[in-house]
């Protein structure tokens, strides 16, 4: 059973360098063993001067499957966006990951923040 009364808060940041996803992508965050993570902030900025593309994937550990959160999305140069909006969140189980990759020269930066909740065995 999951215990959601006490949260451990976390933040992670990654400058993307990978240009392909899946196992080749940059791991931004991994949900620790015995936890459920609620991703509440997923912030992406592009440092390039021109419009560039980025992608984000959720790696589902239980099925060893990569799912697109954002697929080849264009963002204006020197711009940012919030992927999770309106009080929503993305729930991850133990071993699940957030993976990112960019178009060459995008200078993409990702920040993830949320809550980790201990899960009883």
């Amino acid at each position: 059973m999951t215990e959601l009364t006490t949260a451990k808060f976390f933040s992670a940041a990654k400058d993307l360098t990978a240009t392909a996803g899946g196992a080749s992508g940059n791991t931004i965050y991994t949900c620790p063993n015995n936890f459920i993570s609620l991703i509440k902030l997923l912030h992406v900025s592009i440092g390039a001067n021109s419009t560039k593309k980025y992608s984000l994937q959720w790696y589902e550990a239980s099925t060893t499957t990569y799912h697109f959160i954002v697929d080849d999305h264009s963002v204006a140069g020197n711009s940012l966006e919030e992927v999770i909006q309106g009080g929503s969140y993305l729930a991850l189980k133990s071993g699940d990951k957030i993976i990112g990759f960019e178009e060459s020269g995008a200078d993409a930066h990702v920040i993830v923040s949320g809550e980790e909740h201990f899960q009883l065995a």
Side-chain angles (χ1 to χ4, degrees), residues 9-57:
F9 299 98
F10 72 91
S11 294
K14 186 72 173 184
D15 295 338
L16 300 184
T17 56
T19 55
S24 300
N26 295 119
T27 299
I28 300 161
Y29 172 77
T30 303
C31 181
N33 290 335
N34 301 316
F35 281 85
I36 291 175
S37 295
L38 303 179
I39 307 294
K40 295 191 170 191
L41 171 82
L42 190 46
H43 173 96
V44 179
S45 64
I46 300 293
N49 290 325
S50 59
T51 298
K52 294 290 184 176
K53 297 178 181 178
Y54 76 93
S55 298
L56 296 174
Q57 295 176 313

Side-chain angles (χ1 to χ4, degrees), residues 2-120:
T2 303
E3 177 62 53
L4 296 178
T5 57
T6 305
K8 174 183 167 189
F9 299 98
F10 72 91
S11 294
K14 186 72 173 184
D15 295 338
L16 300 184
T17 56
T19 55
S24 300
N26 295 119
T27 299
I28 300 161
Y29 172 77
T30 303
C31 181
N33 290 335
N34 301 316
F35 281 85
I36 291 175
S37 295
L38 303 179
I39 307 294
K40 295 191 170 191
L41 171 82
L42 190 46
H43 173 96
V44 179
S45 64
I46 300 293
N49 290 325
S50 59
T51 298
K52 294 290 184 176
K53 297 178 181 178
Y54 76 93
S55 298
L56 296 174
Q57 295 176 313
W58 156 43
Y59 172 73
E60 186 178 13
S62 64
T63 64
T64 63
T65 304
Y66 291 88
H67 306 278
F68 277 97
I69 300 168
V70 177
D71 188 5
D72 214 20
H73 182 66
S74 293
V75 176
N78 299 310
S79 240
L80 58 92
E81 67 181 13
E82 302 301 333
V83 177
I84 298 175
Q85 299 180 7
S88 298
Y89 60 87
L90 176 64
L92 303 180
K93 296 179 184 175
S94 295
D96 287 1
K97 300 177 184 182
I98 302 293
I99 307 291
F101 59 101
E102 66 177 3
E103 174 182 5
S104 182
D107 193 26
H109 315 282
V110 181
I111 296 174
V112 176
S113 188
E115 304 172 3
E116 293 174 341
H117 297 275
F118 183 72
Q119 183 177 20
L120 300 174

